[in-house]
Amino acid sequence: MPLQRTTTLGAVLAGGAGSRLGGGKATAGLAGRALIEYPLSALAAAGIEAVVVAKADTELPALAVPVVTEPQEPRHPLAGIVTALRHSRGRPVLVVACDLPLLTPALLEALAAAPGPAPEPLVLAGPGGEPQPLLGRYAPQILPELEAALAREEPLRRTVASLSPRLLGDAELSQFGDPAELLLNVNDRSDLARAGDILAAR
């Protein structure tokens, strides 16, 4: 097992329904592996302890990491983030969506370390200046704000904008590869095919 190099907990969120992929997003096949295995492998290579956060009825492959069950309702991306922070025992959480198969260990290490002059409460990937709430480091002190936003079922992007996140923009992301490839989000079969082509070319 790789040596853990950070106290940050990695949380791969797998609570989405994956309807545009025909269901079972976490188990969708990509180059002979389940989609969720890719971010988990990148976290392991980065030395980041990981868990999977999912609804009780989420279809998952056999996993070598713990599964933390989030409440069935509401079906909201904040539910997974809040559940992960509650589970982390006061540690920061590096949130990673299960449908980001092209992330590199070096990028995850950089996010987990919360680069900057001081540890910021929220650090997100921000390609093109657009915050990506499902790829970022959430500090435990913002849990109350996230819980309140979840109770209101506030849109996730509005919630993270209100927390003034530090963004890793294109210049920083480019140190780890092409941002458009690194952050390719697999939502449908065409995305899955593109991800397969990129993996084959690497």
Side-chain angles (χ1 to χ4, degrees):
M1 179 178 292
L3 178 67
Q4 290 176 11
R5 296 188 288 274
T6 172
T7 58
T8 300
L9 176 69
V12 178
L13 304 190
S19 56
R20 284 185 283 173
L21 273 171
K25 179 178 278 193
T27 58
L30 174 60
R33 302 169 67 190
L35 190 61
I36 197 172
E37 292 180 42
Y38 288 90
L40 285 171
S41 293
L43 285 165
I48 300 171
E49 177 189 352
V51 298
V52 168
V53 180
K55 305 266 185 210
D57 59 358
T58 301
E59 182 183 356
L60 295 171
L63 297 169
V65 301
V67 177
V68 180
T69 303
E70 66 178 71
Q72 282 299 103
E73 299 296 336
R75 288 194 171 269
H76 192 292
L78 266 172
I81 298 171
V82 165
T83 297
L85 280 166
R86 288 173 176 169
H87 175 80
S88 72
R89 298 181 180 177
R91 289 179 289 171
V93 170
L94 176 58
V95 166
V96 184
C98 77
D99 54 8
L100 294 171
L102 303 179
L103 300 172
T104 63
L107 172 56
L108 295 178
E109 280 190 89
L111 280 165
E120 293 90 350
L122 180 56
V123 181
L124 302 175
E130 291 293 323
Q132 302 297 313
L134 298 184
L135 180 59
R137 180 185 186 275
Y138 289 72
Q141 63 261 38
I142 62 175
L143 178 58
E145 289 95 329
L146 297 177
E147 289 175 326
L150 178 59
R152 299 190 299 269
E153 295 192 40
E154 181 177 276
L156 179 55
R157 288 185 180 274
R158 184 189 305 168
T159 300
V160 298
S162 72
L163 295 168
S164 301
R166 165 168 155 68
L167 300 183
L168 267 64
D170 289 333
E172 288 172 284
L173 292 171
S174 294
Q175 299 174 44
F176 310 103
D178 179 352
E181 290 188 0
L182 288 170
L183 276 70
L184 175 63
N185 182 245
V186 174
N187 286 312
D188 55 31
R189 290 292 168 182
S190 64
D191 295 332
L192 202 61
R194 184 179 172 212
D197 290 342
I198 293 170
L199 285 170
R202 281 186 172 178

